[in-house]
């Protein structure tokens, strides 16, 4: 089976490699990133999003945000110009649920099926093929592509209609951001009080306060390693989508609004390209102390 894959960034590149490893032939395109390593593994390089669509019946996209997905799929030279009736498009980017619905409707008019299937787990899980994938769309289409998604993720769950995948991802991103902020605030306090943060981690990670987020981010914070990972600027994008979606529904999310301002302060301080564990830097600046080994 030939799969079209668009977007070879931090996440898309290892995801595409896992599909090649599983035996699929790939036709790939990225507007900016190089694809030499993917081509060396046997993939074919296309020269536009349109060309990818014209040569495949299943197209996967992994792009930064809503405008990029709209451009790549609905824009000039986009997927929609080359796509055949009966094809399937699976967008695995984290974007606004309303845009997933808009893209899904435009493709439906061309007799093309669409799923929104954002992921959680970051680069390490993209490399291992153990992402958590949350999918919105038609059950029959989901059943068709599930075996392919399982080559990139260890959990593949249909959560509802088109847009529901990205609503679930927004919920995921709220929980992750607030969790990092809570961990950062607490560890800054403990360090300022003179307690070794390594001991605090050892003492509480197995209790109710422990979390996957704490286990992943505290070792990075203790080392002062803020290499992404998941960039602050991408989390700003996700929380903006969460705030817009929440406001359009009449569901206020005050804690998210507060952490958004923390992220904005970090952006002003020049940390946009840091991993989101750099939220601790905001608290460190306030308390005039560093949470390090
Ligand atoms: P990235 O910026 O590294 O990669 C995106 C790629 O899309 C880039 O290589 C870019 O050149 C390409 N691109 C942009 N516009 C294009 C277009 N019109 N046509 C073709 N290619 C285009 O981003 P990433 O970290 O791989 O993230 C991708 C998505 O996955 C984002 O929505 C992000 O929020 C989500 N996500 C990221 C992580 C993470 O840890 N990085 C984790 C989970 C989810």
């Amino acid at each position: 089976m030939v799969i079209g894959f668009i977007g070879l960034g931090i996440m898309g590149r290892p995801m595409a490699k896992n599909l090649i490893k599983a035996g699929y032939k790939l036709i790939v395109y990225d507007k900016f990133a190089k694809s030499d390593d993917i081509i060396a593994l046997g993939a074919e390089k296309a020269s536009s999003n349109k060309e990818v669509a014209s040569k495949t019946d299943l197209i996967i996209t992994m792009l930064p945000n809503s405008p990029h997905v709209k451009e790549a799929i609905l824009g000039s030279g986009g997927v929609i110009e080359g796509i055949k009736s009966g094809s399937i498009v699976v967008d695995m980017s984290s974007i606004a649920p309303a845009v997933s619905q808009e893209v899904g409707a435009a493709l439906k008019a061309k007799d093309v099926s669409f799923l929104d299937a954002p992921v959680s787990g970051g680069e390490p899980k993209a490399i291992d093929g153990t992402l958590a994938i949350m999918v919105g769309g038609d059950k029959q289409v989901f059943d068709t592509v599930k075996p392919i998604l399982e080559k990139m993720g260890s959990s593949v769950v249909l959560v509802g209609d088109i847009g529901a995948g990205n609503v679930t991802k927004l919920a995921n991103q709220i929980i992750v951001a607030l969790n990092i902020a809570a961990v950062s605030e607490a560890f800054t306090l403990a360090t300022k009080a003179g307690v070794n943060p390594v001991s605090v981690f050892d003492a509480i990670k197995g209790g109710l306060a422990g979390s996957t987020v704490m286990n992943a981010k505290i070792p990075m914070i203790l080392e002062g390693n803020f290499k992404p990972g998941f960039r602050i600027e991408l989390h700003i994008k996700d929380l903006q989508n969460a705030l817009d979606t929440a406001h359009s529904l009449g569901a206020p999310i005050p804690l998210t609004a507060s952490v958004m301002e923390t992220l904005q302060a970090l952006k002003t301080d020049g940390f946009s390209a840091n991993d989101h564990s750099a939220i601790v830097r905001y608290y460190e600046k306030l308390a005039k102390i560093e949470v390090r080994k």
Side-chain angles (χ1 to χ4, degrees):
M1 180 177 192
V2 185
I3 299 173
F5 203 106
I6 294 169
L8 303 169
I10 291 179
M11 297 296 283
R13 187 173 302 272
M15 290 161 69
K17 285 183 180 173
N18 281 330
L19 292 178
I20 295 171
K21 232 183 273 168
Y24 295 106
K25 162 104 179 120
L26 257 57
I27 299 182
V28 300
Y29 177 69
D30 189 296
K31 195 172 170 185
F32 305 107
K34 289 208 168 114
S35 53
D36 304 4
D37 53 339
I38 309 268
I39 305 303
L41 295 174
E44 184 186 321
K45 186 177 178 174
S47 57
S48 68
N49 292 311
K50 177 181 171 180
E51 188 188 340
V52 172
S54 68
K55 291 182 168 173
T56 57
D57 301 323
L58 171 63
I59 299 116
I60 294 173
T61 49
M62 192 52 167
L63 303 164
N65 195 9
S66 307
H68 311 87
V69 171
K70 279 179 80 168
E71 182 195 320
I73 298 180
L74 306 182
S76 166
V79 165
I80 202 160
E81 291 182 358
I83 202 149
K84 291 163 274 176
S85 156
S87 300
I88 299 173
V89 175
V90 182
D91 177 38
M92 302 189 74
S93 327
S94 306
I95 67 169
V99 173
S100 297
Q101 289 163 349
E102 185 185 335
V103 171
L107 291 172
K108 194 176 177 190
K110 291 258 178 186
D111 191 30
V112 171
S113 301
F114 179 75
L115 299 174
D116 60 315
V119 310
S120 174
E123 189 186 19
K125 292 196 173 209
I127 292 169
D128 294 347
T130 56
L131 292 165
I133 305 177
M134 42 218 98
V135 189
D138 182 78
K139 166 100 170 73
Q140 244 184 324
V141 182
F142 172 75
D143 289 340
T144 306
V145 303
K146 193 174 179 225
I148 295 164
L149 297 179
E150 283 171 342
K151 301 293 185 284
M152 297 179 279
S154 52
S155 155
V156 182
V157 179
L158 181 68
V159 287
D161 295 334
I162 293 173
N166 270 305
V167 169
T168 307
K169 176 67 182 176
L170 291 181
N172 183 86
Q173 291 307 84
I174 289 172
I175 293 166
V176 171
L178 268 53
N179 204 331
I180 298 176
V183 165
S184 298
E185 188 168 296
F187 274 75
T188 304
L189 165 66
T191 308
K192 185 84 182 188
V195 184
N196 184 338
V198 177
S199 306
V200 176
F201 183 44
D202 288 342
I204 67 176
K205 66 184 173 193
L208 191 56
S211 66
T212 309
V213 163
M214 188 189 287
N215 289 341
K217 301 304 175 186
I218 281 296
M220 292 178 73
I221 290 169
L222 292 174
E223 293 287 345
N225 167 21
F226 299 112
K227 182 176 171 284
F230 191 75
R231 295 190 301 276
I232 295 266
E233 65 194 352
L234 280 179
H235 222 136
I236 287 177
K237 176 263 299 183
D238 287 336
L239 294 193
Q240 189 61 56
N241 284 337
L243 288 162
D244 290 345
T245 304
H247 295 162
S248 74
L249 293 169
I253 47 173
L255 292 175
T256 303
S258 171
V259 175
M260 176 62 134
E261 293 309 305
T262 298
L263 294 178
Q264 295 293 342
L266 289 162
K267 181 179 169 187
T268 301
D269 278 343
F271 297 134
S272 295
N274 275 198
D275 185 73
H276 52 176
S277 54
I279 285 175
V280 76
R281 289 187 141 157
Y282 172 81
Y283 291 95
E284 290 174 349
K285 190 175 172 186
L286 293 181
K288 299 188 172 35
I289 197 155
E290 287 193 333
V291 181
R292 300 288 179 274
K293 269 184 178 168

